[in-house]
Amino acid sequence: MRRPVTELERERKYEIAPGTAVPRFSGNGTVRGQDAPVEQLLDATYYDTEGFALAAAGITLRRRVGGKDAGWHLKLPVAQDTREELRVPLDAEDAKVPRELRQLLRAYTLEGKLLPMAHLKTDRFEHELSDAAGHVVATVTDDHVTGEVGGETARLDSWRELEVELATDAPPELLDELESTLADAGARASAWPSKLRRLIGDRVPASPSPGKRPDAGEVVGTYLRDQLAALRRADVGVRRDVDDSVHQLRVASRKLRSALRTFSSIVDDERVASVAEELKWLGGELGPARDNEVTEALLRDWFLDAPDALVAGPVEQYLTRRFSRDAVELRARAVTALESRRYLALVRELDAVVAEVANGRGPAREVLRAPVRQAERKLRKAQRAADGKSGAELERALHDVRKKAKRARYAADVVRPVYGTKLRKWRTGVKRVQQALGEHQDWVVARPVVLRLGVDGRDEGVGFSFGVVYGSADTILRAKRDEFTTRWGKLAKGKRPRWL
């Protein structure tokens, strides 16, 4: 399978009246030179599901001929004005979406067909802009577009737009500088994020937006939709082996599971329990890969801060070899889970549950108090249960406190649009408690791994170093427990809403 070529795209689009000349950008600013236009004829076919699932997520998939970068292009949103473009060259089966791109999009297509949904022809006039040293810093394209989209009723449209794209090494503030020149020439920022979205318009299903006085269903539904979108974005990252993507996918799945359980009375769907269990399964499949990442980072930080006398042997090379090998195996396990029918069934169920979150559950400020209150009570109960325990029992009890703190924090995140400063301050205190216990749990997980690394590494001259780390674990764990006690005291005395 071919590996797509990746490029970061930073651009803005503008509307400009027909007959208006492309402005001159060269002057006293960054841009000192502007080349004469070079014409290109581009012909692009855009692919999506029947319900425009990709367009709704801000994703573009097209097959384009003509121009300097003919081929298959997959554009993924990154941030405002920024998208990541993945390119695959055309081949003999150029009318079929390449498998390497189809695989990345499975969480969006759910094995549905990717169909040619729209066709755009563009007569492009490209101007390269250069700085005082003659380096190209941006490209301005003057696009004259004709498009058609099918469906129950066909739609034809034509328009003109200017597109400004920065070079790879150009500073992001150059976009604002160029926009000032465009504004003086009468251009205005486009209301559409892409040519495709302009063409298909209202055929993309819009997410409902909360009203001025949102009800409980609106608040919970918005949060669930946001986390499901985050899960899908992280899914693509895991398939591409992007740094931190396993963590992001695990966080999104945890937030979904926590919200469904905490606000089950609002969701009111008989499938919630089974979906929550499947999310737990997904977390279990991702957990080993994430634990491997965390433990490696933990040990590298320990050795980085340790005195030279306590570090003997080729520790860094040993860590790289052992954790890299494990990372490959554990990532393969995570990807296998994402490729499974069980996972696709889970995402389908999440779609259905989220879509059916009903409005009209009552005023959010009144209705959402009880679930948050319950999460807070469970947290306090778990903390009390940890009192008086020691050894492995204490470690398990503190891990339970951590899980309850995370659930309480996520509950506060759900209702954040509704309540004020006092709840936000309480939520910050809960997060600090959770972080202290998270670091404690990281060392609980790492300790047996350190022991194994020390035993296995004796013949390689690193056994002593890992023995020192293992010996320091108890001291580190006591310090983390003390930190938790301090943070819990501050949380108990801190401000919170009276109803909490």
Side-chain angles (χ1 to χ4, degrees), residues 56-57 77 108 205-210 217-235 248-257 259-260 279 347 350-351 353-355 357 410 412-417:
Y108 294 93
S207 297
S209 54
E218 286 179 315
V219 172
V220 175
T222 297
Y223 181 86
L224 291 173
R225 281 190 294 274
D226 289 346
Q227 297 312 316
L228 182 51
L231 181 142
R232 284 185 155 113
R233 288 193 299 270
D235 171 294
Q248 295 303 321
L249 182 55
R250 198 175 182 209
V251 168
S253 66
R254 278 178 167 173
K255 287 183 175 181
L256 282 164
R257 180 170 172 243
L260 288 171
L279 285 166
V347 180
L350 283 168
D351 272 335
V353 170
V354 171
V357 175
Y410 290 161
D413 287 341
V414 174
V415 303
R416 184 181 292 187

Side-chain angles (χ1 to χ4, degrees), residues 154-334:
R155 176 182 295 166
L156 302 174
D157 199 0
S158 60
W159 67 92
R160 181 191 180 199
E161 71 178 32
L162 297 181
E163 188 175 283
V164 179
E165 182 175 352
L166 297 186
T168 304
D169 55 353
E173 56 268 20
L174 181 56
L175 281 174
D176 293 331
E177 184 181 325
L178 298 176
E179 184 168 288
S180 177
T181 301
L182 286 163
D184 292 342
R188 66 183 188 277
S190 175
W192 304 100
S194 67
K195 293 179 175 67
L196 176 64
R197 284 299 302 270
R198 174 170 182 154
L199 179 62
I200 61 181
D202 57 6
R203 299 191 182 195
V204 178
S207 297
S209 54
K212 290 183 179 180
R213 293 176 59 84
D215 67 37
E218 286 179 315
V219 172
V220 175
T222 297
Y223 181 86
L224 291 173
R225 281 190 294 274
D226 289 346
Q227 297 312 316
L228 182 51
L231 181 142
R232 284 185 155 113
R233 288 193 299 270
D235 171 294
V236 176
V238 172
R239 295 173 192 272
R240 296 178 56 209
D241 198 15
V242 174
D243 285 347
D244 202 43
S245 54
V246 170
H247 178 219
Q248 295 303 321
L249 182 55
R250 198 175 182 209
V251 168
S253 66
R254 278 178 167 173
K255 287 183 175 181
L256 282 164
R257 180 170 172 243
S258 179
L260 288 171
R261 293 176 63 192
T262 302
F263 299 95
S264 58
S265 61
I266 308 300
V267 179
D268 193 24
D269 191 290
E270 60 185 15
R271 290 172 292 194
V272 165
S274 62
V275 170
E277 278 303 305
E278 289 302 279
L279 285 166
K280 183 178 181 180
W281 161 78
L282 177 61
E285 295 300 301
L286 301 171
R290 177 57 183 165
D291 289 345
N292 190 64
E293 293 174 350
V294 171
T295 301
E296 179 181 8
L298 207 66
L299 293 178
R300 288 192 183 279
D301 287 345
W302 192 96
F303 284 115
L304 187 64
D305 295 336
D308 292 343
L310 299 182
V311 183
V315 169
E316 186 173 347
Q317 296 92 321
Y318 183 67
L319 283 173
T320 298
R321 186 169 64 256
R322 289 294 298 263
F323 280 97
S324 296
R325 182 194 67 197
D326 291 346
V328 171
E329 295 175 358
L330 296 172
R331 179 185 171 274
R333 173 178 171 178

